[in-house]
Amino acid sequence: MNMLQLFVSHTPLWVWALLVFLITRGIAAMKPGEVSLGRLAVVPALFTAWGLWSISARYGASWQAWAIWLVGIGVGAGIGWMLLRHSTLTPNRATGRLWRGADYSLLPLLLVTFAVKYGFESALAMSPTLAGDIGFRAAYLLLSGGFTGTFIGKYLRYLAAWRRATPGNDLKVAG
């Protein structure tokens, strides 16, 4: 229990605020409704910015690190796209919003992503030399990119549904 208390006490306050924000977003996604594309872009933008910052700070201009992260993003984007394949998405041009059904995948995905990133960042804070370990580095970059890509893929599915709708005509788009 001492180790857990040490982690919690050394975790910056912004990390806990981020966790609360992610939980509220995940819970809100469980209710169907109209949402703006801008609001749907917040989570992918947040994880993309966090990834860019983390990789820049740790690996700088290492093309290998960026390549591994981008591979993770590509795989994750495909997963994110598939997670919404059965969703019915209805653009409403009049309101500028997209009606989407309940998304029960977002909250668990956010919690797992947070836990994995928290775990990696904690391990790196305790042992910075792990950043140079090839196995740890590959896992960190692939998972970080994969989770970020999953949120990007989901957003791309929302964006595709929006773009397929003809202007001025609400069209249901599924899968």
Side-chain angles (χ1 to χ4, degrees):
M1 195 59 144
N2 254 348
M3 186 64 97
L4 181 61
Q5 289 173 337
L6 186 64
F7 277 120
V8 171
S9 67
H10 284 82
T11 299
L13 191 55
W14 70 265
V15 173
W16 301 120
L18 174 63
L19 178 58
V20 169
F21 170 76
L22 294 174
I23 290 170
T24 61
R25 292 305 289 256
I27 291 170
M30 291 183 193
K31 298 174 192 130
E34 283 193 349
V35 184
S36 71
L37 287 175
R39 187 169 174 97
L40 291 168
V42 170
V43 169
L46 177 72
F47 280 103
T48 299
W50 190 2
L52 291 170
W53 174 79
S54 296
I55 295 167
S56 294
R58 229 167 241 110
Y59 300 108
S62 167
W63 69 267
Q64 295 97 339
W66 290 101
I68 293 169
W69 188 64
L70 289 172
V71 165
I73 286 179
V75 171
I79 292 168
W81 182 272
M82 294 304 293
L83 283 172
L84 296 177
R85 72 185 175 279
H86 297 297
S87 296
T88 300
L89 307 171
T90 308
N92 184 340
R93 298 271 182 191
T95 63
R97 294 173 172 261
L98 179 71
W99 186 92
R100 51 129 190 94
D103 182 356
Y104 296 105
S105 69
L106 187 61
L107 181 60
L109 185 58
L110 288 169
L111 293 175
V112 168
T113 301
F114 181 87
V116 168
K117 287 187 76 65
Y118 183 85
F120 274 114
E121 295 297 336
S122 296
L124 286 163
M126 291 179 60
S127 182
T129 58
L130 282 173
D133 179 83
I134 194 148
F136 184 91
R137 178 175 155 160
Y140 170 75
L141 293 167
L142 282 171
L143 286 170
S144 176
F147 284 120
T148 299
T150 301
F151 299 117
I152 290 171
K154 289 177 85 165
Y155 182 74
L156 290 175
R157 176 71 85 165
Y158 292 130
L159 192 58
W162 181 262
R163 289 193 173 166
R164 276 186 279 199
T166 54
N169 181 20
D170 290 340
L171 174 67
K172 279 195 173 186
V173 179

